[in-house]
Amino acid sequence: MLEQTVDVTRLEGFVRYTRGIVRARLVLVALFVGLLVIYTPMRMTVFGLVELCVYGALFLATEVAQRHPDPITAFRRLRWQSIALVFLLSINACALAVKIRLIGQPIMRVEAALLAICVLLFAALRVHTGKISYLTAVAPPVATLLWIGFDRHTPLAANHYGAAMLLFVVAVLTATWRQQTTDRALAQALRDLARKNADLTEAVAEAKAASRAKSDLLAVASHEIRTPLNAVLGFAHALRRDTFLTPIQADLAQGVIEGGAQLTRLLDTVLDLTRVQAGQAALNPTAVDLRRLIRTVVRVWSAHAQAVGVLLSFEDADPGLAYGVLADEAKLEQTLVNLVSNGLKASPSGGAVTVRLAGMVKDQTLTALVEVRDSGALVPLEDRPRMFEAFEQTERGRSLGGSGLGLSICAANLALMGGEIGVEDVSEDEVQSGKAARRGAVFWFAFEAPVLAAPAAESATEASVAAPVRVLAAEDNPANRRVLAALLAASPVELVFAEDGARAVDAWRAEAFDLVLMDVNMPVMDGVAAVARIRQLETSAAEPRPRTPIWMLTANVFDDDVARYRADGADGVLRKPIDTVALFALLAQVAEAKAGVQRRVTA
């Protein structure tokens, strides 16, 4: 019911309650006035007309209160006005009941009592609005009913009618008073709920702000980590192309490149956490050689394994099987790295961790099984279902000091790929047969992936630049400038540097360039503003120029960042650390386009 659900301790709720009462009773009072007009003298009808007028005044008071500029003042005024008007309504109706009773006929006593009972029931609903309003509303009908019920001519002991009336009045007052306690508690609950809702809204806003701050932090961390990593990988690539390196030095340079590439993919995975938490994680299938990927992980982690006194090895169960597949390399590598890292932590000094690869091809689909066997503690059967749940830690996990997230991330990766992950024990039979160094745990995962027509290449080749090109590189970091210079030193590329966006614009206006490589975060003028300025100058009437290809060379590679660069006029994005294959492919494309223009001009 409306009276029991609105909060009458506030102006809006009190207005809704009062208007609901007025609308419901106006119809009844109008019908009652009609009966009075038909069956009673005119002096009795006046009471009904007064009742209608008072109800109209009560409705008008709610209208005035709603238009008042101060809700608190309006609520107080309306509350006292309603108390006075409801008291007048009660007095007027009870006066009519008294008039009916004084007619003297026995039936009139019953009709007067019925009218007073109706007034009492209606007045009792004022219990919702407060004690004073309740008492002033019920006092007249209670007094009227007792006056009607107790006839001075009838002995008190024999007055059953009066006793029944008294019991009725007590029952109504008791029930409504208890209802008042319930209503007050409900009103308080509504206020508490409103406060909690406000607190929840504030908490949601704070959570969104924290999420934005986390994204900003990840963006800054991405940029700050990628900048030195770009130098490491860039110099390693330049060093690897040196023909005077000994085989050992070339192998070391390749190791640096592989480790840096693995770190880059790990950084991409960290940046992808926001999409994982939002339930928007998706696969990024690429050509990958699973055997080469495992060998790279084992190679990168071998130094750490040696440092902790654990033998890390790779076992190829099917040497003749090609493992070139279309799969998400980053998620496979992350899963494998987590399992190898856990195995090395669990294995004591002198132990061993073996990564075993097995597979089977059927209908151009490879079913791959990867096992990581360690020499650590066994995993009890009751703990195995919880091993791959977020923030769940078993006794083994607590002993390793884990966060409870690594294995859950592995499980999420395999779920995306439609695969499975689990843990078993190294059996005693395997130890005795020499297949395992000692008892331990075997973490495994299996998945299916389409087989490539040809095995994934060991590494993509860098395209050759067939013709000279002039490149303007806007880069404020000296190490990154040295990396670009080292990478392009052996190519027919004339490289001009600008240390900020403003200088890049000035250099572009002063000379003609075939390509502009633009960093984003730079002093004076950032790269995005510099691109927008160059695009504006290209189309200006004062100095129109042919469109120059502009590619952003940046560590800020979030999807929304890339979309913003393109919207401001960039033709593409090269990410840091520099992908040398993508860089030389771009240079080769620019050189070919330049040569084509020159051929058309000479023709």
Side-chain angles (χ1 to χ4, degrees), residues 118 134 155 164 216-217 291 297 300 313 340 351 388 415 450 496 528 546 563 579:
C118 290
Y134 174 72
D216 294 341
L217 176 62
R291 179 184 285 114
V297 171
V300 170
S313 61
V340 170
F388 302 96
V496 177
V528 177
D579 184 344

Side-chain angles (χ1 to χ4, degrees), residues 519-571:
D519 189 19
V520 174
N521 295 331
M522 294 185 293
V524 184
M525 178 186 288
D526 64 40
V528 177
V531 172
R533 178 59 178 160
I534 290 175
R535 294 306 185 209
Q536 180 185 11
L537 291 173
E538 285 177 337
T539 58
S540 66
E543 44 180 326
R545 296 268 294 272
R547 182 181 175 91
T548 305
I550 303 178
W551 281 62
M552 311 306 290
L553 182 58
T554 177
N556 296 338
V557 289
F558 282 108
D559 291 341
D560 54 347
D561 291 327
V562 174
R564 179 166 57 93
Y565 305 151
R566 290 186 177 276
D568 287 326
D571 295 292

Side-chain angles (χ1 to χ4, degrees), residues 47-67:
F47 287 98
L49 295 176
V50 170
E51 199 84 357
L52 280 175
C53 292
V54 176
Y55 272 117
L58 186 57
F59 189 86
L60 181 62
T62 62
E63 193 70 26
V64 173
Q66 271 204 319
R67 299 180 181 182

Side-chain angles (χ1 to χ4, degrees), residues 115 313 378 390:
L115 177 59
S313 61
L378 302 179

Side-chain angles (χ1 to χ4, degrees), residues 425-484:
D425 292 337
V426 175
S427 66
E428 191 67 40
D429 294 339
E430 289 179 294
V431 176
Q432 293 176 357
S433 63
K435 293 182 179 180
R438 64 178 72 179
R439 291 295 301 275
V442 181
F443 287 85
W444 59 269
F445 64 91
F447 66 98
E448 293 182 350
V451 176
L452 296 179
E458 284 293 317
S459 61
T461 58
E462 296 171 357
S464 60
V465 184
V469 292
R470 299 192 76 239
V471 177
L472 170 62
E475 175 59 68
D476 64 314
N477 187 284
N480 288 339
R481 293 198 295 269
R482 289 179 58 198
V483 167
L484 271 176

Side-chain angles (χ1 to χ4, degrees), residues 37-54:
V37 170
I38 296 173
Y39 296 108
T40 64
M42 190 62 188
R43 66 179 184 276
M44 305 286 273
T45 306
V46 172
F47 287 98
L49 295 176
V50 170
E51 199 84 357
L52 280 175
C53 292
V54 176

Side-chain angles (χ1 to χ4, degrees), residues 39-277:
Y39 296 108
T40 64
M42 190 62 188
R43 66 179 184 276
M44 305 286 273
T45 306
V46 172
F47 287 98
L49 295 176
V50 170
E51 199 84 357
L52 280 175
C53 292
V54 176
Y55 272 117
L58 186 57
F59 189 86
L60 181 62
T62 62
E63 193 70 26
V64 173
Q66 271 204 319
R67 299 180 181 182
H68 197 281
D70 185 3
I72 297 178
T73 302
F75 173 68
R76 291 173 180 171
R77 183 178 298 174
L78 177 62
R79 185 167 176 270
W80 285 108
Q81 288 173 346
S82 68
I83 290 174
L85 291 173
V86 170
F87 179 71
L88 287 178
L89 288 170
S90 185
I91 287 290
N92 180 70
C94 289
L96 178 59
V98 170
K99 284 284 187 181
I100 294 173
R101 172 69 181 90
L102 292 176
I103 293 177
Q105 299 177 10
I107 191 64
M108 292 295 104
R109 184 183 186 189
V110 175
E111 291 182 359
L114 289 175
L115 177 59
I117 288 172
C118 290
V119 175
L120 175 61
L121 293 177
F122 284 140
L125 294 177
R126 299 296 295 178
V127 72
H128 303 300
T129 62
K131 295 179 180 179
I132 296 177
S133 177
Y134 174 72
L135 293 175
T136 54
V138 300
V142 167
T144 302
L145 284 172
L146 294 179
W147 176 77
I148 293 173
F150 290 95
D151 190 348
R152 65 180 183 276
H153 301 295
T154 305
L156 188 61
N159 194 348
H160 305 296
Y161 184 81
M165 191 69 72
L166 178 61
L167 288 175
F168 173 77
V169 169
V170 172
V172 170
L173 295 181
T174 302
T176 54
W177 191 256
R178 290 184 61 185
Q179 183 64 38
Q180 186 265 353
T181 304
T182 303
D183 291 340
R184 287 291 173 180
L186 180 59
Q188 182 63 43
L190 288 173
R191 288 193 294 271
D192 293 342
L193 183 60
R195 280 195 294 267
K196 289 180 179 179
N197 186 55
D199 293 341
L200 181 60
T201 302
E202 183 179 356
V204 169
E206 291 177 355
K208 290 181 178 179
S211 179
R212 288 192 297 269
K214 180 192 67 176
S215 298
D216 294 341
L217 176 62
L218 287 175
V220 173
S222 170
H223 184 272
E224 295 303 319
I225 294 174
R226 287 177 186 273
T227 297
L229 185 58
N230 178 60
V232 171
L233 285 178
F235 289 136
H237 277 289
L239 183 62
R240 189 185 60 173
R241 289 201 301 273
D242 192 333
T243 57
F244 297 101
L245 291 181
T246 66
I248 295 178
Q249 292 170 335
D251 187 62
L252 291 175
Q254 181 63 29
V256 173
I257 292 172
E258 290 176 351
Q262 189 177 126
L263 180 57
T264 302
R265 288 190 292 269
L266 180 61
L267 183 60
D268 292 339
T269 303
V270 172
L271 294 178
D272 193 48
L273 280 177
T274 53
R275 282 184 289 181
V276 173
Q277 294 171 352

